[in-house]
Amino acid sequence: DTGVSQDPRHKITKRGQNVTFRCDPISEHNRLYWYRQTLGQGPEFLTYFQNEAQLEKSRLLSDRFSAERPKGSFSTLEIQRTEQGDSAMYLCASRQGLAGAYNEQFFGPGTRLTVL
Amino acid sequence: AQRVTQPEKLLSVFKGAPVELKCNYSYSGSPELFWYVQYSRQRLQLLLRHISRESIKGFTADLNKGETSFHLKKPFAQEEDSAMYYCALNNQGGKLIFGQGTELSVKP
């Protein structure tokens, strides 16, 4: 296990197309987070899972966005009918979810989406 | 509203000079704050967290609740410290609120 992995690393698509990204967390981590980072900004929280349950979604996550973590392991983030404003780096992070303790979030390398 | 502010987009210093990267936060409650670093072509990684009160790679950061600040300091900058630095606040559920980031450039 070499850490959090994301696939693809780069995606170029035309406006209106659907795209799907995958994140494989560190195997023993039960919490998984998605963030979006646009140029010149810090990462912004999108959503997170504890095991297979999606516990919170940001207002940034419009109806065109959907995320799943069906078996509590890998996660997918789908964007339907992409818009140019969706162009960003999409980051995934994972951590242990022990109650009452902070555990470090480990980040993946990100998927860079460009919508033409 | 919970917020993290990093007022400087770019900080440029010479090797051996002291460095201070500023971070201010807004949070109702007891904050948990972190500094993350991203070196060129590498992924985002944790540098240090306030509860540990540790020094990592010569960097320290002290939480000042009165000034709502968590500035990152290093007495003598090295060229390998050049990177993007993000201050982050731990929100409910463990999700992080990041500042805009400060690019540190250490010149020889």
Side-chain angles (χ1 to χ4, degrees), chain A residues 48-103:
Chain A
Y48 87 96
F49 293 83
Q50 177 155 312
N51 300 312
E52 65 275 8
Q54 188 174 17
L55 296 187
E56 187 173 344
K57 293 192 289 186
S58 162
R59 293 171 299 168
L60 293 175
L61 218 62
S62 76
D63 292 344
R64 296 183 297 104
F65 288 71
S66 61
E68 294 183 340
R69 195 182 182 197
K71 297 182 180 179
S73 56
F74 73 91
S75 175
T76 57
L77 177 67
E78 181 183 15
I79 309 175
Q80 296 183 326
R81 305 181 302 282
T82 52
E83 301 173 355
Q84 288 184 324
D86 298 331
S87 295
M89 178 74 86
Y90 290 84
L91 297 169
C92 177
S94 72
R95 57 162 270 200
Q96 294 274 23
L98 300 175
Y102 175 78
N103 291 285

Side-chain angles (χ1 to χ4, degrees), chain B residues 8-50:
Chain B
E8 303 139 330
K9 292 208 105 169
L10 172 65
L11 185 62
S12 185
V13 301
F14 286 103
K15 177 183 172 182
V19 168
E20 183 178 51
L21 286 78
K22 291 183 166 46
C23 172
N24 288 90
Y25 67 91
S26 172
Y27 187 70
S28 54
S30 188
E32 270 190 280
L33 286 148
F34 312 92
W35 278 97
Y36 278 78
V37 61
Q38 187 166 27
Y39 300 103
S40 179
R41 301 182 185 278
Q42 295 187 26
R43 61 186 68 190
L44 201 58
Q45 59 186 283
L46 179 67
L47 179 62
L48 53 79
R49 69 196 81 179
H50 90 270

Side-chain angles (χ1 to χ4, degrees), chain A residues 4 31 33 37 56 105 107, chain B residues 43 86 93-96 100:
Chain A
V4 179
R31 287 205 176 178
Y33 300 81
Q37 185 174 22
E56 187 173 344
Q105 285 191 30
F107 282 81
Chain B
R43 61 186 68 190
Y86 295 95
K95 58 184 184 285
L96 296 172
Q100 290 184 307

